Amino acid sequence: MSEILAGNILVTGTNRGIGLELVKQLAQKTVEGAHIYACCREAEGTRAEALRALSTQCPGKITIIKLDMSDEDSISAAVHAVSRQIGADGLNLLINNAAVNKPASPAPLSATGKEHMMEVYETNVVGPFLLAKMFLPLLQRAAERGSPEKETDDKMSSRRSAIINISTLISSIEKCPETFPIAQMYPYRTSKAALNMLTRCQAEDFKIHNILVTAIHPGWVRTDMGGKEAPLTTQDSVLGMLSVMSSLSNKDCGKLLDWQGNIIPW
């Protein structure tokens, strides 16, 4: 059974697309007292106007945090800023949504260089790695505070303490023969395959702390990255993902699921 998400929730890449919609729906659907930390690279710039407007519409519910996932100093500063506000409560849910795709789709081999591979890996893999590592004490704190009352209860859930890494269907090695003709996207798909391994490693490493770690594919979504031909709206994708997140338990730790809760093979 799904439960309403609560507590302190941090989302990266929130100035547009899926990230912005995540903040919007979380602000609407989380319990009273929940707080959303919405992170983006240019918190004061024009690209974050919609996010700032949303924050104004939800007074006391959203805090905007400047965060560049490719910059370790920026990550450290964001973690310190959030830590000061959270205090003893801990971080209940970390959603690693921020990602880049370079060169532009379909990103064939002929257009892809070393700089694209390195830049995409740094943002899509190293960034989530560092963020989870630095937030681990706060995630542990939340897990300890939200420990189940009975031994028979699930020890892990998104309401207690969890990391959700936003992945993609095209990260699946098994599905590559089906997806590769549509979009080669060497840097993006290999970085997301690495994110899947990061998810699996974190799941093994953090289970001793009762921290849930799961990767979720949002579907092919109509965003700047997904393109106009994508069948899913951000609203429907996020609605589905939040329903899945709310239902996660021990059995889902270390898995790659889609926005409807179906397992995707590695």
Side-chain angles (χ1 to χ4, degrees):
M1 181 181 295
S2 64
E3 52 185 10
I4 298 173
L5 295 173
N8 292 304
I9 301 170
L10 186 139
V11 188
T12 67
T14 60
N15 65 301
R16 61 180 178 172
I18 291 171
L20 182 63
E21 185 63 27
L22 276 166
V23 174
K24 181 179 180 181
Q25 292 196 29
L26 283 167
Q28 294 170 344
K29 298 175 182 179
T30 48
V31 300
E32 186 177 351
H35 197 85
I36 300 115
Y37 295 88
C39 303
C40 63
R41 280 184 296 181
E42 301 174 12
E44 302 299 328
T46 57
R47 298 178 68 182
E49 285 180 353
L51 178 60
R52 292 196 299 272
L54 179 59
S55 178
T56 302
Q57 293 165 19
C58 306
K61 188 83 172 183
I62 301 168
T63 297
I64 300 175
I65 302 289
K66 183 178 181 180
L67 172 62
D68 182 346
M69 292 291 282
S70 67
D71 184 336
E72 186 169 4
D73 289 338
S74 176
I75 294 171
S76 180
V79 170
H80 282 105
V82 173
S83 299
R84 285 195 299 270
Q85 294 190 51
I86 285 180
D89 292 334
L91 181 63
N92 299 91
L93 179 58
L94 167 59
I95 304 177
N96 278 312
N97 167 71
V100 296
N101 174 36
K102 294 184 179 183
S105 296
L109 181 66
S110 59
T112 303
K114 177 183 177 181
E115 68 277 11
H116 300 123
M117 295 293 291
M118 300 302 288
E119 184 177 348
V120 171
Y121 188 88
E122 185 172 45
T123 297
N124 295 5
V125 187
V126 180
F129 165 78
L130 290 173
L131 199 63
K133 179 181 179 181
M134 293 183 191
F135 270 129
L136 182 57
L138 287 181
L139 289 161
Q140 287 178 255
R141 192 178 301 166
E144 290 165 1
R145 289 174 63 89
S147 57
E149 295 179 2
K150 304 174 184 177
E151 282 297 319
T152 54
D153 289 347
D154 273 322
K155 292 183 178 180
M156 291 185 280
S157 77
S158 295
R159 188 183 175 97
R160 293 183 181 122
S161 183
I163 299 170
I164 303 298
N165 293 321
I166 302 301
S167 187
T168 172
L169 176 67
I170 69 171
S171 69
S172 170
I173 295 171
E174 184 172 325
K175 293 284 187 180
C176 188
E178 300 173 32
T179 63
F180 190 76
I182 301 169
Q184 294 180 9
M185 297 171 68
Y186 278 90
Y188 187 74
R189 66 167 65 231
T190 55
S191 74
K192 290 295 187 175
L195 182 70
N196 292 347
M197 177 55 85
L198 177 64
T199 300
R200 198 70 187 89
C201 291
Q202 290 173 332
E204 290 300 311
D205 201 7
F206 300 165
K207 65 183 180 183
I208 192 172
H209 306 302
N210 295 325
I211 298 170
L212 176 82
V213 189
T214 302
I216 296 182
H217 161 54
W220 184 12
V221 186
R222 215 172 300 142
T223 61
D224 290 346
M225 187 182 295
K228 296 179 181 178
E229 296 180 359
L232 270 179
T233 64
T234 55
Q235 292 87 351
D236 288 340
S237 170
V238 169
L239 185 67
M241 285 196 292
L242 290 181
S243 177
V244 171
M245 290 182 207
S246 300
S247 304
L248 295 175
S249 62
N250 295 16
K251 65 179 175 55
D252 304 302
C253 192
K255 300 288 180 60
L256 170 60
L257 309 175
D258 70 12
W259 79 104
Q260 295 175 313
N262 301 307
I263 295 177
I264 298 174
W266 297 119

